[in-house]
Amino acid sequence: MLRFAVRRLLQMVGVLLVLSFLVFVWLRSLPGGPVSALLGERQTEARREALEQALGLDQPLPVQYLRFMQRAFRGDFGVSTQVLPGEDALDIFLTRLPATLELSFFALVIAIALGIPLGYLAARRKGTALDTTTVISSLVGVAVPVFFTAFLLKYFFAVEWNLLPVSGRQSIGLDATRVTGLFVLDGILTREWDAAWDALKHLVLPSVALATIPFAVVFRITRASVLDVLDEDYVRTAEAKGLTARVIRGRHVLRNAMLPVVTTVGLQVGALLSGAVLTETVFSWRGVGQALAEGFLQKDYPVLQVLIMAAAAIYVLVNLLVDITYALIDPRIRTR
Amino acid sequence: MTSETPQPPPQRTSYADRRKQRLDALAAASADEEGGVSLILSAWRRLRRNPVFLVGLAITVTFVVLALVAPWLAPYDPAARPLLDDIRPQSNPVPGPEPGHPLGGDDKGRDLLSRLLVGSQQTLMVGVLATLFGLLGGVTLGTIAGAFAGWADSLVMRIVDVMLSIPSLLLAFTIAALASSPSQWTLIVAIATVQVPIFARLLRGSMLGQRASDHVLAARSLGVKPHAIVFRHMLPNALGPVIVQATLVLAVAIIDAAALSFLGLGNPDDRRPEWGQMLGAAQPYLGQEPHLAFYPAACIIVVALGFTLMGESLREALDPKTRR
Amino acid sequence: MSGSTGLDQARGARTAAQGEVLVEVRDLEVHFPIKSGIVFDRTVGHVRAVDGVDLTIHRGETYGLVGESGCGKSTLGKAILNLEPPTAGSVVFDGVDIASLKGEALRTERKRFQMVFQDPMSSLDPRQTVEALLLEGMRAHGLDTDKAATHARLRELMSAVGLPPSGLKKYPHEFSGGQRQRIGIARALSVGPDLIVADEPVSALDVSIQAQVINLLQDLQDELGLTYLVVAHDLAVVRHISNRIGVMYLGGLVEESEAGELYDVPLHPYTRALMSAVPVPDPTLEDTREQILLTGDLPSPAHPPTGCRFHTRCPWRQETRCDTERPELRVVQVDGASSGHRVACHFAEQIAAGEIQRHEVEPELELEGFGGPDGPPTPPEAYIAP
Amino acid sequence: AATLASCAESERDGDGGSGGGDDGTFVFGAAGAPEMFDPYYATDGETFRITRQMFEGLLGIEPGSAEVVPELATEWTSDEEGTEWTFTLRDDVTFHDGEPFNAEAVCYNFERMFDQNDAGQVAGEYWGYVMGAYANDPENSLYQGCEATDEFEAVISISRPTSGFPTMLTLESLSMQSPKALEEGDANGIASEGEGFSFPAYADAPVGTGPFTFGEYDEANGSITLARNDDYWGDAAQVSEIVFRVIPDESTRRQELEAGSINGYDLPNPVDWAGLEEDGNSVEIRDPFNILYLGLNPEANPQLEDLRVRKAIYHALNREQLVQTQLPEGAAVATQFMPDTVSGYNTELEPYAYDPDEAKRLLAEAGAEGMTLNFAYPTEVSRPYMPDPQKIYEALRTDLEAVGIKVKVSTASWNGGYLDNVSGEPGKYDAYILGWTGDYDSAYNFIGTFFGNLKDNDFGTDVMPWGKQLADDLKAADAIVDEDERGAAWEEINRQIMEEYLPGLPISHSPPALVVGPGVDGVIPSPLTAEEFDTVTVGGE
Amino acid sequence: MSTQPLHPAPRHGEPLLAVRDLRVTFGRRGEEPFRAVDGVSFDVRPGQTVGLVGESGCGKSVTSLAVMGLLPTRGNTVEGSAVFDGEDLLSLSPAQMRDRRGADIAMIFQDPLSSLNPVIQIGRQVTEVMERHQGLSRKEAMPKAADLLERVGIPDPTARLASYPHQLSGGMRQRALIAMALACQPRLLIADEPTTALDVTIQAQILALLKELVVETGTAMVMITHDLGVVAGLCDEVNVLYGGKIVERGDRHTLFARPRHPYTVGLLSSIPRLDAPRGEPLSPIPGSVADNLPWDDACAFAPRCPNALDVCVRETPVWDGDDVVGLRCFNPMGVSR
Ligand SMILES: Nc1ncnc2c1ncn2[C@@H]1O[C@H](COP(=O)(O)OP(=O)(O)OP(=O)(O)O)[C@@H](O)[C@H]1O
Ligand SMILES: Nc1ncnc2c1ncn2[C@@H]1O[C@H](COP(=O)(O)OP(=O)(O)OP(=O)(O)O)[C@@H](O)[C@H]1O
Ligand SMILES: [Mg+2]
Ligand SMILES: [Mg+2]
């Protein structure tokens, strides 16, 4: 087990190293780039050259990469050129991370809390109206562009009915103590209940919007996997033992059906990160996704580089954790 | 084939006699001299009765046909701006329906209906080409990995690992965002790239399955040349799940294209409309003129649904577990 | 024209040479590496699927191989055809050492030895018509030069296995299990082999169909003078079709004998137990016969027991030799046992003579290697990238 | 407004019914995060909007116009040559940190701006732009020195007379900052790091003299809070607090305004103007102070060297229609390269008529029928002079194609190479859409920027026979000390540019707007988009 | 031929289970319904072992599943009755049926690996039946489970309680399944091909175990298999199924000694026997199940039958016999035509 983890961890480091090189070379081989980003409208050729020299961008690529790696090993990944000029790119990631974590966590909770029970029900009632409706609506949910969903959600819940805030993470003027950067948790930790409640209200719409895709996936995989398990001989054995429906559902069906769901949930972290780019943009959610979107548009390469690498690292790491969890909960792997 | 004349109880007869007996019986059993029914055909026969598949198929076919005939069907050139003079940025930014323009125009005075119709062409093209390129790349990599074990396999799978380590849409964003001159090809390439590792891994998996299968072993033992084994036996059989996946990916590709366009990473040239792009362009009007976003969104949803329904039922039909 | 097709020619050539040695297997070993490692895979052990097998197959005979699941029968069969490259040992086929052949040389040689598989469905490419399947081997060996002759040969092949020619245009899934197995046999015949290795050719079939295929195999042998190596776990089937039988246990042959004699005078304790375990459709016999019930399961071929591989389950196990010294296959002097009857048991004579009595065996629990995946499965790709 | 109050204000403050007058919070929706808070290094409007509330320059701008008025300096005079300027300063001003504002402080500021390290020289964009050089290259610098001749009198010398001085002192970048804070915060300690600059601590804690002081920047929530400066030398601000909330998405800003959780935002989409007004908001339209033009580059396409071709293209454009259908109300067809509010505007010029036939004739005459233009427009950008570049391009393209010009389109994103390609030497595009928003009231800030630099300008005028002449004329006019004389010179140059040279095609001026919610009063829209919020009140039905 | 039976078969007692005219059809909408079981009747008396034999697809499993109420909930219809202990199982509510299953009637299945829940420890899987039907707590049930495992011959039973199915060999798994089935001392045990997936030596162990347990506990058993050899050694009464109907029934001695239905004869002559002289070619039944005729107006077996008469393809043969012996044939073997 430990071996498995170490092995995967080493693999991960390798993958990330290669990725860092690819991203570095790729970013630098594109037009535009930091210089144009920094200069803006008032640029001239002379200023351009001066800047390139000042930044060492006139050096050959391998030299630049080596310098980058040297600095990277010291934890210095360069500073933002556009998103938050002058700010350490890694700091940007770190300050933005809690927001994205909070959002993704709630989205995942929603996706799981809805996806698994509905998936189970749909599988149990395969072919009925309930099944068809849920399947189709999950597909529709995936196909509706996030900004459209978000617009509707905001329009009705925030503007028309005034139930929830439109965007942002916290009401203006609310003087809340920050501990972890996860606002809801902070509110709870410091017992500033109004702050926690306020943060929670801000979370609802974006996390619902972000949850659509993971929900659909969790729902579908649960349904498929429950259908598979229902066909399994051991469920028939359990039935033959005369066990109660509850025991069969919980101990025999769901427990086994959850195994593939666990892996899927890990893979959903990728979807969450991708989705965060859109969701955070439309909800002015100051998270990693929004920084990514800004980085893309403003060609802030140092920030992009850090964020892409970090996203990859998180993704790979989470999946590593998921695999380990899986191995822990599946005795067939655990007891090898 | 009723045994009018009861056969004598079996006894030791000559080989020739018995062979003749068997032949007679079998010839009668399979009297039809027609050619056989391939797996695909028999899957189709099953699918033909599956309402989910039929709905998906109907949607898909409708839109494909629409895409093909759209240029003739569309009342206006999608790039022409017949309603331009009606536009006033404040009072009338988006011309409403009027005779000859049942859905009105867009914010550049172009006929919305025509754009929607012709949009099916571009949208499907982006979807199909992205999927095709993704498939091509994935199949190439997957074939290399699956056909040659050893270092070629390891190398390919490491490449795939690297590609997979970036969340898919994020990778697409990156590619599209960093393109030097954005066009619909950027979009296609971005989406295709994302699909490559997925197809590659899928294909490799099923190629490995094929590799270990008895019929490939049989071909080997027959002395069939290695390349023929790969291309005649392994690849065609391994391709099944990949094709099914491709149908599903088509839907995803169309949705992803919309997401990219939303982020402003799509094709800036909108003379040949594409739904994702129309949707992205409708963003500023969400508040005042939501129909501008609604129509393309609805089209995307329906088409994506069509492909997904088709893909899912195909998957089910080809899945040996559900086959009875 | 049709009178002098390949099948007939081959028949003429072969019937002449009955009795000569066709295949000579010496010290054959197939070990599968068990890999593991933190960064790079290292080989940490071997599954000794086939672990030192000697056998000889004569032209025109049927050699049967029986044994429990996992004892290495299939691997041995494949290794003989070099479909599974042997780790050590030689397989001399008609004077050529196939085990050392590689690449094109091996490929061209393949037309002389063919295989028939257990699962008639999975061993036929579902996407090819029967005609394509049959033609393929002929193409690969340049046997399809003349269109008309090829056509005739295809029909002949079909009729040889008792299928109507109309079947050529069909796909494997349109046939019943028995018919599919016939197609598999026809495919093996298509290149005119001398030897056919049949790996459990009937065990996937219903009893009534099984009999049809067994008869077919025998008929074809009669007619074409084929040599068979039949692998099966059903002792009755093997005994029915084989001239000689080898009994395998955990990667090695424990007994080899003429078919009838094996039943009449089983020498190895394992053979006895195996024989007594086969249920017979005769209530009277069933009620009276004495069963030798083995305890425990087949040990893992990754960690085979020392000495005699069977000693952990052997009811005649002796304190000495059994767990230290691996017995060789040898001819023993026992009543009724002929000179072709070899057994790998230190105490075969004593057991046959009743000098050693059966005793209870405490089952040893095998707690390894009963399957289970290596890592978490990946869910369907569609769910990975929505 | 009830909802507004409850959302926009601290919930902890209890009931948010701050009914009126001189208190309350003004919440403004910003489209982007500020770069940092030192206006000297800042380059973008989002940053300036914030620093403007905290900093003041020697000279100011009359709210609602582009006119220069006294601010920290009460008066200024120059010597004969126009190279020595004496500024009399206010004597009642202290910085937010309590430091006195005096001539020493002024000179400290100028020296600080002048004396920049390598990184600072690239980052201090506006100084470089208006002053030309830094302390390490004093020959080329307009700024020559500053002397505190009295406690409240400072003399600034410049190398040559120019129309831009002292108007340029209204630039936000040249605002006065507390010397002590600059010193302590190591304000000039900018360094290049990787591919960007890292800013010193000062940039996070700015100290000025304005009506608002820096509160805090809550990065996690994307909000910047400024507090009223109760010791302000002028009239204290009406609201006690301004909060800038970063809301990058346009439709979200609008929804926030509708939900009452912000009180205003800049550059509302023209499409929304009517709807916003209907909902009780007020859309404040500023006078246009910008120019949108079609740049032509004869270096990239020699056919453009022919004046007839350039005129033909101009006649081909239906600018009336473009302005009416693509630009917000208040936009106007341009007759020259500057808006009419700038002195030196030539009122006698008439717009080139939309005349496709004439265009075709001219093209035929020049032998350029069916010519191909490599035409470019930027993506991922929206500027006051071009709310939607793509739409403008669309319109222009249609017109050009109508007279038989083939259009080959190129695009690049604003930061992703578009500007590089336009400004490169030589530029990559034959024709491109670009524009300019004036920094202050100066003709040279417009046409001088465009054509004053012969070697390195976007119009490739160095290959034109008159290119040098034009550049020289511009410099000469700029150096005229007498204002009326100078105005006449500008008018003449404008006429020449439009009638004889036509190096590019001015298209339009567009009014940018600002929207504030119900109950917000006192916003004075500025043509320079330089609103100061000290007069703003929030509340009241 | 007339050796003593395995154990005295109380033929004349009240049947424990009486299946009458059981019919199961499968069919989706729009499809011709498929009759998997077509009027099957048989009795099982206490202590008796009844065999159901036949080729793959003849309806053996469906019969047993129908009796157990374990057929899929949709897509099938079940008619007829299965009276167990005075109650018609087929008319019980699902909840009542749950109370019977595992307690009064238990079942073991063919594939011992897939029939065990892979993620739950063996002990737990054994105890849950006792918890369910005997109201024991898990603590109380554990030692009993260990006893059970010991009884079915699993070495080191206490340690094995904590094992997962994949840690046991095929034979051990099947033993564990048997332990589970016997946990509540059921009166009827249905074994659906319990040894098909196992090797002969292991099969012999399991069959011996079953024999022993049946005698020890007095449990009645329905043995489903396609292996005539298994039936010959184990069953008191044998039913031969073909195409969803019982075509022949008899006690094992009579049936094997004087098979009368051509299908039974065909089956017996198809299999090579260890005790028969070598060299004789087998006499297979021609054709395959695919050639069956519908039972409605014919004998389903007629197309493959060496004895078929004209009437065989026109009329359905009727059951000639009772609940002890019987035959469904117009022209049985050994009777002159
Ligand atoms: N490719 C392989 N890699 C590793 N181990 C293998 C491989 N193929 C077979 N083995 C192992 O070798 C041993 C012998 O396998 P083989 O298939 O020859 O047995 P068998 O006697 O044919 O059994 P069965 O009756 O189940 O077909 C088994 O333990 C099996 O797990
Ligand atoms: N759920 C189902 N839906 C449709 N048909 C079914 C279903 N279950 C069984 N059948 C059909 O009913 C027939 C009888 O099946 P059953 O499983 O009883 O056969 P069996 O005698 O047990 O065969 P085997 O020896 O292969 O287990 C088969 O033709 C089968 O295809
Ligand atoms: Mg095998
Ligand atoms: Mg069955």
Side-chain angles (χ1 to χ4, degrees), chain B residues 324, chain E residues 26 34 36 55-63 72 110 193 226:
Chain B
R324 271 279 140 83
Chain E
F26 291 101
F34 172 74
E55 277 177 287
S56 184
C58 68
K60 307 182 295 286
S61 298
V62 171
T63 303
Q110 170 173 354
E193 315 216 18
H226 62 255

Side-chain angles (χ1 to χ4, degrees), chain B residues 85 90 108 268 285 288, chain D residues 254 321 324 327 329 390-391:
Chain B
D85 282 322
Q90 275 97 64
K108 287 179 186 156
Y285 307 97
Q288 301 296 309
Chain D
R254 183 177 169 179
Q321 189 191 43
Q324 249 182 33
L327 297 176
E329 239 165 73
Q390 204 234 357
K391 275 191 187 172

Side-chain angles (χ1 to χ4, degrees), chain C residues 49-309:
Chain C
V50 175
D51 202 15
V53 168
D54 286 349
L55 61 82
T56 307
I57 306 172
H58 298 280
R59 199 183 279 280
E61 78 169 340
T62 300
Y63 190 98
L65 213 50
V66 278
E68 275 176 292
S69 179
C71 68
K73 308 180 296 291
S74 302
T75 310
L76 175 58
K78 287 177 194 165
I80 289 175
L81 301 187
N82 199 351
L83 286 170
E84 194 70 77
T87 315
S90 68
V91 179
V92 178
F93 178 87
D94 216 6
V96 186
D97 182 6
I98 331 177
S100 63
L101 283 184
K102 278 210 178 63
E104 190 62 16
L106 176 63
R107 193 185 73 73
T108 44
E109 201 60 18
R110 285 207 183 283
K111 65 171 175 291
R112 305 196 48 200
F113 36 88
Q114 284 299 307
M115 184 145 180
V116 172
F117 295 87
Q118 167 172 8
D119 183 350
M121 190 67 224
S122 76
S123 62
L124 298 176
D125 185 340
R127 263 158 230 280
Q128 314 249 350
T129 56
V130 172
E131 178 165 5
L133 283 168
L134 296 184
L135 264 178
E136 190 168 47
M138 294 162 64
R139 288 241 165 86
H141 297 286
L143 303 174
D144 69 331
T145 42
D146 179 351
K147 240 185 152 181
T150 306
H151 188 70
R153 186 165 161 75
L154 285 177
R155 301 188 141 250
E156 198 192 355
L157 277 171
M158 290 296 274
S159 89
V161 297
L163 289 174
S166 63
L168 282 174
K169 292 271 175 289
K170 296 195 172 189
Y171 290 86
H173 69 100
E174 296 175 84
F175 294 89
S176 71
Q179 289 172 320
R180 283 179 206 149
Q181 198 56 295
R182 291 165 192 267
I183 298 170
I185 295 170
R187 173 175 59 186
L189 292 179
S190 69
V191 293
D194 297 310
L195 171 73
I196 287 182
V197 173
D199 187 2
E200 316 239 7
V202 294
S203 56
L205 305 175
D206 256 329
V207 272
S208 62
I209 312 296
Q210 181 175 320
Q212 298 172 0
V213 173
I214 290 174
N215 280 355
L216 171 68
L217 284 172
Q218 285 189 320
D219 291 345
L220 288 170
Q221 185 171 44
D222 288 353
E223 193 172 1
L224 304 175
L226 295 169
T227 308
Y228 288 139
L229 172 66
V230 176
V231 172
H233 61 256
D234 186 335
L235 209 60
V237 168
V238 169
R239 175 174 170 274
H240 180 82
I241 54 177
S242 309
N243 304 104
R244 281 192 308 137
I245 296 177
V247 181
M248 267 187 97
Y249 187 81
L250 213 58
L253 277 182
V254 292
E255 184 162 4
E256 186 188 70
S257 148
E258 190 275 321
E261 190 178 316
L262 187 74
Y263 181 79
D264 297 334
V265 197
L267 293 177
H268 198 279
Y270 176 64
T271 317
R272 289 169 174 246
L274 200 60
M275 217 84 88
S276 79
V278 179
V280 182
D282 182 340
T284 327
L285 216 70
E286 276 289 306
D287 290 348
T288 49
R289 77 195 172 116
E290 184 199 19
Q291 276 201 341
I292 305 169
L293 281 184
L294 290 180
T295 55
D297 307 286
L298 193 67
S300 158
H303 312 281
T306 53
C308 175
R309 301 280 192 254

Side-chain angles (χ1 to χ4, degrees), chain B residues 104-128:
Chain B
D106 72 355
D107 59 333
K108 287 179 186 156
R110 299 173 293 203
D111 182 52
L112 194 56
L113 178 65
S114 304
R115 287 182 71 73
L116 277 176
L117 283 172
V118 179
S120 60
Q121 218 171 38
Q122 288 292 304
T123 309
L124 287 184
M125 195 183 89
V126 168
V128 169

Side-chain angles (χ1 to χ4, degrees), chain B residues 208-248:
Chain B
L208 289 187
Q210 289 298 321
R211 209 182 158 67
S213 77
D214 279 353
H215 72 86
V216 167
L217 195 64
R220 274 216 292 144
S221 82
L222 267 184
V224 177
K225 299 211 171 76
H227 68 89
I229 294 184
V230 170
F231 290 106
R232 270 171 65 92
H233 295 283
M234 288 167 67
L235 197 55
N237 283 300
L239 230 38
V242 178
I243 301 291
V244 171
Q245 173 72 4
T247 330
L248 294 168

Side-chain angles (χ1 to χ4, degrees), chain A residues 167-185:
Chain A
S167 72
R169 295 183 66 197
Q170 199 174 56
S171 293
I172 290 303
L174 184 77
D175 174 31
T177 320
R178 302 275 161 77
V179 188
T180 57
L182 307 166
F183 288 3
V184 176
L185 186 66

